[in-house]
Amino acid sequence: TNMFCKSKESYKYYSELKTAASVSSEHIGQQFPNLFYIKFHRQTTETGDGIEEPIFIRDKYSKGITFGTFDLFHYGHNNILARCKNFCNYLYIGLSSDELNERKGKNSVDNYEKRKEVIECANLGDEIFKEESLEQKNDYVIQTGAEILMMGDDWIGAFDWVSCDVLYMERTPNISTTLLKTMMKILPQEV
Ligand code: CTP
């Protein structure tokens, strides 16, 4: 899975592990791409001669968060939520309110309750809450205690300002709500 992290150092670490993995899977226990739950967390250890050495801890995050409209839920949505879930033990999904969609000029086909119900059926998140405003991203991060915010790579760089780690993951190609909406318009009306 392609991923982009807020910290260059973490990304370098990830790439190095990936190279090591192609030589020996022993080093990290698993072959890529299965290893997509790295906690990019630095900790320093005292070496014998008193020099502090950084080491990376590799672990799942305990809480993660993602956001979206998830209108006309499709396999791209399912795919990203499944990957988010692989990075954390507890996944919060900030589902945009109908008012927020309207403000963005992107009215959803399904209303908030319907979109929420469909995500619940997919059973990939642990808690769904209403996202009322884009600017409040960091407030949601703080309120939930999320340690990582995950989004599709159409958002690269957009949320680097939040206080937790950020990960942008590759979008699933050739599917989007926009595409589905377009297709709905060209199909004949229901009889
Ligand atoms: N997403 C994805 N792959 C897709 C479509 C969406 O990984 N093919 C991700 C987005 O990057 C985002 C989340 O799913 O992190 C919710 O995206 P949303 O905007 O609700 O869905 P889109 O299909 O992108 O909707 P639109 O066409 O209206 O932009």
Side-chain angles (χ1 to χ4, degrees):
T1 177
N2 283 350
M3 49 196 264
F4 305 85
C5 315
K6 190 160 73 170
S7 136
K8 273 192 191 125
E9 214 170 22
S10 308
Y11 188 73
K12 186 169 166 280
Y13 173 73
Y14 175 86
S15 321
E16 280 168 4
L17 267 185
K18 198 166 176 173
T19 317
S22 60
V23 183
S24 146
S25 59
E26 238 172 80
H27 175 57
I28 51 164
Q30 263 177 324
Q31 280 283 5
F32 274 82
N34 293 333
L35 181 75
F36 41 51
Y37 47 90
I38 306 168
K39 183 163 183 170
F40 292 117
H41 167 74
R42 280 184 66 150
Q43 186 177 293
T44 46
T45 50
E46 283 259 346
T47 55
D49 44 13
I51 300 166
E52 296 228 319
E53 250 186 22
I55 55 157
F56 285 93
I57 306 295
R58 181 164 52 82
D59 200 358
K60 258 195 185 190
Y61 290 81
S62 54
K63 289 176 176 179
I65 192 166
T66 189
F67 296 88
T69 304
F70 300 100
D71 189 23
L72 303 175
F73 197 86
H74 54 69
Y75 62 86
H77 292 147
N78 196 85
N79 195 0
I80 196 160
L81 290 180
R83 281 178 291 158
C84 288
K85 191 62 193 145
N86 268 306
F87 278 100
C88 59
N89 292 322
Y90 198 90
L91 178 64
Y92 288 95
I93 302 174
L95 182 60
S96 59
S97 68
D98 295 330
E99 297 72 29
L100 175 56
N101 293 337
E102 222 169 282
R103 283 208 300 280
K104 286 194 290 187
K106 242 187 188 180
N107 285 333
S108 55
V109 176
D110 291 334
N111 67 18
Y112 179 85
E113 288 308 322
K114 180 89 180 283
R115 288 181 286 124
K116 181 164 181 271
E117 209 180 302
V118 179
I119 300 177
E120 279 165 356
C121 290
N123 202 21
L124 289 163
D126 295 285
E127 216 170 302
I128 302 171
F129 67 92
K130 200 180 266 189
E131 182 191 17
E132 308 269 10
S133 118
L134 294 175
E135 292 73 37
Q136 281 180 49
K137 284 258 176 340
N138 203 41
D139 298 333
Y140 297 125
V141 165
I142 293 163
Q143 277 160 30
T144 56
E147 300 154 315
I148 183 167
L149 187 158
M150 295 159 283
M151 291 299 292
D153 62 8
D154 43 328
W155 293 98
I156 281 186
F159 305 116
D160 286 0
W161 54 275
V162 302
S163 56
C164 65
D165 285 354
V166 183
L167 180 66
Y168 306 99
M169 283 180 269
E170 196 175 8
R171 274 169 71 93
T172 305
N174 308 324
I175 182 74
S176 70
T177 300
T178 308
L179 178 70
L180 294 177
K181 281 179 174 170
T182 312
M183 286 165 76
M184 284 166 90
K185 278 191 203 129
I186 62 169
L187 286 174
Q189 292 298 307
E190 204 179 314
V191 282

